[in-house]
Amino acid sequence: MGEGWDARIGYDVLVIGAGFAGLHLLAELRKSGFACHAFETGGGVGGTWYWNRYPGARCDIESLDYCYLHDRDLHREWTWSERFAGQPEILRYAEYFAGRAGLFPFITFGTRVVAATFDEPSSTWLVRTEHGGEVRCRFLVTAVGCLSAAQIPDIPGIQRFRGERFHTGQWPHEPVSFAGKRVGVLGTGSSGIQVIPRIAEEAAEVVVFQRTANFSVPARNRPLTEAELAGEPEKYDERVALASTTRFGHVVAGTGQSILDSEPVERRAALERRWADGGTGIVATFTDTGRDLAANALLADFFRDKIRQTVADAGTAELLAPRGHPIGTKRLCVDDGYFETFNRDHVRLVDLRAEPIEEITEDGVRTTRENYPLDVLVFATGYDAFTGALTRMDITGRDGVRLADRWVDGPGTYLGLAVSGFPNLFTITGPGSTMNLSNMLRAIEHHVAWIRDLLVRLRSAGVRTAEAEQAAQDDWVAQVADAASRTLYHHADSYYLGANIEGKARVFMPYAGGLDRYRRICDSVALDGYRGFRLSHVDEPVAP
Ligand code: NAP
């Protein structure tokens, strides 16, 4: 039990989730002497990378940036094999980290937390698991991921389908064979765009049901070279520095020029270089494409031209060319042969805007135009992003108020780290933090260090509760909205705005002001004695 707190409480800190965030926090808490434990729904560590086992699953951030940086030795010990690591390798890395830090005995696997209730008289959280277990703790930290609550659309007849059915984010552990089968895929976001080419390599027939065409750039994945790997130890300090001095947490170099001011020939040449290099860096080529619609349209034209050059059938190419949202306002996808896949005879694109799905039948999908007989249905339909993993748990704070009810008009948080009315609850990469608008690993490392430092401070000061003040939260919510208003994000019906979930409040949820700025704000809050938090001490009387 950690020093200074009451041993009868249970744990000092309970962590929900054993992905990259939960594992790192657990390791830091153990090093700091807290009595802590984690609950994890999955049968192993890794979070996103435990669940997303679909063929083609691969990170869209480069391996040497998508890894922990808080431990120089760890960075030196692990050797990534490819520029963009695949899911199995990232999962092995998470397992290696957990083993190296001796975390496995402190995680209960296969156990979903279904409820957490703040008990005001004792100022503790009572946490309930799906198996009926109850555990008490002083502090509760959620590390549940911001894209983890899988979403399957409620299409009429869905339960009747007799074939196999999968969601990319809940992929089975045993191999799935598509050989000789007719496979339908719903969804053309990052997951769909990765899985479709791999399914097409095996299946007899593939029908892609597309609602919104997406922008995608080739990954140009390749093995990392000896020279790149050999130079990595020297780059370590620079990478650590970039985590706090860049918008994304790693360097995304651009030309520093405006696309509107560029000459057509030099513009094309700069974009061609980035296209040939692969990865999402192309959107940062010019300074104005993220904030000016006319500038953005020039970049979008370049992408649409690439699709026309790649896809042989002109009609299919036009359907695949995204329209109706500026490039970058839905996450840019990174692919390996996605558009080329539509040149294969056994792959067919169905435009759901022209022929919406009427129902799923026992043996396929029926649109307003046609019946598509299928053996397998793959849902690459995304997530109840940012809030779903939190609101699907029954979290109840002061005065019996449920988090899901509190957030019905959009998620209010203080710094994405705490919620007023929910004392002693902290959220890693919660709504209102930079989340996946930055490198998730960099955001996670910042949150973990910030929360660990706060907990150490609270312990030494004998603090009983720490709670975000409503005024500080309201101010932060306004800052999140203000940062978003300076971008083009409002021009797309994206999950950033909750638009993919029927009935969800339309509120831009991530902080779009950049990780560098976000970190400076959080660090100033800490330096200022955790400004915006109300602290009550162990010897203060507890409200009845
Ligand atoms: P997503 O981006 O939300 O895409 C979901 C897709 O399903 C969209 O095309 C959506 O169409 C479609 N869809 C949803 N409901 C539908 C319905 N009722 N009928 C037809 N289509 C429907 O989800 P995701 O692809 O799983 O990606 C989520 C995020 O996870 C990514 O943005 C990224 O941050 C992360 N991710 C990363 C990687 C990587 O690192 N490479 C890979 C996978 C995921 P609409 O656009 O019309 O809504």
Side-chain angles (χ1 to χ4, degrees), residues 58 60 153 187-191 194 211-212 330-331 382 436 495:
R58 189 174 288 289
D60 58 4
T188 50
S190 300
S191 305
Q194 284 189 331
R211 188 163 69 182
T212 309
K330 289 184 171 218
R331 190 180 175 92
N436 69 337
Y495 66 73

Side-chain angles (χ1 to χ4, degrees), residues 5-6 9-12 117-126 136-140 398 422-425 463-467 535-544:
W5 280 333
D6 190 336
I9 287 171
Y11 291 103
D12 296 336
T117 306
F118 186 66
D119 176 48
E120 297 197 36
S122 64
S123 299
T124 57
W125 282 94
L126 185 62
R136 207 171 270 277
C137 59
R138 173 70 78 203
F139 292 95
L140 180 62
R398 275 196 204 283
F422 296 79
N424 294 1
L425 172 72
V463 168
R464 184 184 185 92
T465 58
E467 179 181 354
L535 308 180
S536 77
H537 289 80
V538 172
D539 47 9
E540 281 175 31
V542 180

Side-chain angles (χ1 to χ4, degrees), residues 224-273:
L224 286 167
T225 64
E226 296 273 322
E228 283 169 318
L229 293 169
E232 195 48 29
E234 271 175 41
K235 285 205 178 141
Y236 176 80
D237 292 322
E238 189 192 340
R239 285 194 195 281
V240 171
L242 289 169
S244 49
T245 56
T246 54
R247 276 186 74 76
F248 298 99
H250 62 260
V251 80
V252 187
T255 57
Q257 287 178 325
S258 145
I259 197 168
L260 290 173
D261 293 343
S262 64
E263 291 299 325
V265 175
E266 66 175 270
R267 175 191 312 156
R268 178 118 221 143
L271 291 175
E272 287 290 357
R273 273 196 299 279

Side-chain angles (χ1 to χ4, degrees), residues 153-363:
D154 190 17
I155 300 173
I158 196 163
Q159 300 302 340
R160 266 189 291 149
F161 183 64
R162 281 186 310 204
E164 298 167 278
R165 212 174 71 172
F166 306 103
H167 187 283
T168 45
Q170 295 173 334
W171 204 259
H173 283 225
E174 51 287 351
V176 175
S177 169
F178 296 105
K181 295 180 185 165
R182 299 163 301 179
V183 184
V185 183
L186 253 97
T188 50
S190 300
S191 305
I193 278 178
Q194 284 189 331
V195 79
I196 288 162
R198 301 291 81 79
I199 292 175
E201 284 166 4
E202 214 186 315
E205 226 179 276
V206 180
V207 185
V208 176
F209 296 95
Q210 173 187 277
R211 188 163 69 182
T212 309
N214 250 316
F215 293 99
S216 186
V217 60
R220 316 257 184 240
N221 189 31
R222 55 169 173 77
L224 286 167
T225 64
E226 296 273 322
E228 283 169 318
L229 293 169
E232 195 48 29
E234 271 175 41
K235 285 205 178 141
Y236 176 80
D237 292 322
E238 189 192 340
R239 285 194 195 281
V240 171
L242 289 169
S244 49
T245 56
T246 54
R247 276 186 74 76
F248 298 99
H250 62 260
V251 80
V252 187
T255 57
Q257 287 178 325
S258 145
I259 197 168
L260 290 173
D261 293 343
S262 64
E263 291 299 325
V265 175
E266 66 175 270
R267 175 191 312 156
R268 178 118 221 143
L271 291 175
E272 287 290 357
R273 273 196 299 279
R274 293 303 179 93
W275 185 266
D277 191 35
T280 55
I282 189 166
V283 287
T285 311
F286 294 101
T287 52
D288 44 358
T289 51
R291 55 186 159 81
D292 182 292
L293 281 175
N296 186 284
L298 291 174
L299 181 63
D301 281 344
F302 177 86
F303 272 70
R304 284 188 282 265
D305 281 350
K306 286 291 178 194
I307 295 168
R308 290 184 193 109
Q309 288 160 19
T310 308
V311 179
D313 178 73
T316 306
E318 284 316 308
L319 288 179
L320 287 166
R323 279 187 191 79
H325 65 277
I327 181 167
T329 53
K330 289 184 171 218
R331 190 180 175 92
L332 179 64
C333 302
V334 176
D335 72 273
D336 178 14
Y338 175 65
F339 294 110
E340 291 83 344
T341 300
F342 292 91
N343 293 334
R344 302 179 79 145
D345 290 338
H346 67 297
V347 178
R348 184 167 172 194
L349 183 67
V350 173
D351 174 16
L352 294 182
R353 305 256 174 204
E355 46 172 316
I357 295 177
E358 293 231 300
E359 63 167 348
I360 295 180
T361 64
E362 287 184 352
D363 50 14

Side-chain angles (χ1 to χ4, degrees), residues 13 15 20-37 68-72 74 97 100-103 106 428 444-456 459:
V13 192
V15 180
F20 277 101
L23 290 176
H24 180 28
L25 181 67
L26 197 58
E28 291 303 301
L29 293 175
R30 288 199 41 72
K31 274 194 251 166
S32 304
F34 288 102
C36 51
H37 195 81
Y68 292 120
L69 284 183
H70 63 272
D71 182 333
R72 185 188 293 271
L74 171 68
F97 176 80
R100 182 181 184 272
L103 300 180
F106 303 97
I428 303 183
I444 284 170
E445 283 183 322
H446 173 260
H447 279 187
V448 165
W450 199 93
I451 292 171
R452 176 206 59 206
D453 291 351
L454 170 62
L455 292 177
V456 167
R459 179 175 59 186

